[in-house]
Amino acid sequence: MDLRRRSRRATLALLGLVPFAGVAAGVARARDYTARRISGGRWLCPEDDCGYVYDPAKGDPTQNVPPGTALEDLPEDWVCPWCGLPHERWL
Ligand SMILES: [Zn+2]
């Protein structure tokens, strides 16, 4: 009987903690993986340690992206040239 009571308490603790952790992770992911707009209409790679800046005025010559291509108009298979983060993670 003592065992059963203890296990129910553990279950209640899990029910309280797991949804909270899920929400926290969702918030962190949303913040981490959206490109930040910086000066000059440029975009900073969402990957924390990357530092690559996409400049729509210049495009990305390494992936045949012509100058004047907006971030949202980049090809679907475009990736960050420095860290490889997929295009969809920038938006
Ligand atoms: Zn990057």
Side-chain angles (χ1 to χ4, degrees):
M1 202 200 275
D2 185 39
L3 244 180
R4 195 190 301 165
R5 196 183 305 157
R6 197 182 306 161
S7 99
R8 195 205 298 174
R9 197 182 307 153
T11 303
L12 287 175
L14 276 175
L15 285 175
L17 285 174
V18 169
F20 174 77
V23 167
V27 167
R29 193 163 51 230
R31 189 174 55 224
D32 287 345
Y33 290 106
T34 301
R36 272 164 287 177
R37 189 162 207 148
I38 58 175
S39 64
R42 297 173 303 162
W43 298 87
L44 180 63
C45 179
E47 189 64 51
D48 280 342
D49 299 328
C50 176
Y52 174 78
V53 170
Y54 177 69
D55 185 349
K58 293 180 181 164
D60 178 9
T62 70
Q63 291 176 78
N64 298 317
V65 174
T69 303
L71 179 71
E72 56 268 27
D73 292 335
L74 285 167
E76 275 182 28
D77 59 354
W78 182 86
V79 298
C80 174
W82 286 7
C83 72
L85 193 74
H87 178 222
E88 65 195 34
R89 307 293 286 275
W90 283 62
L91 302 175

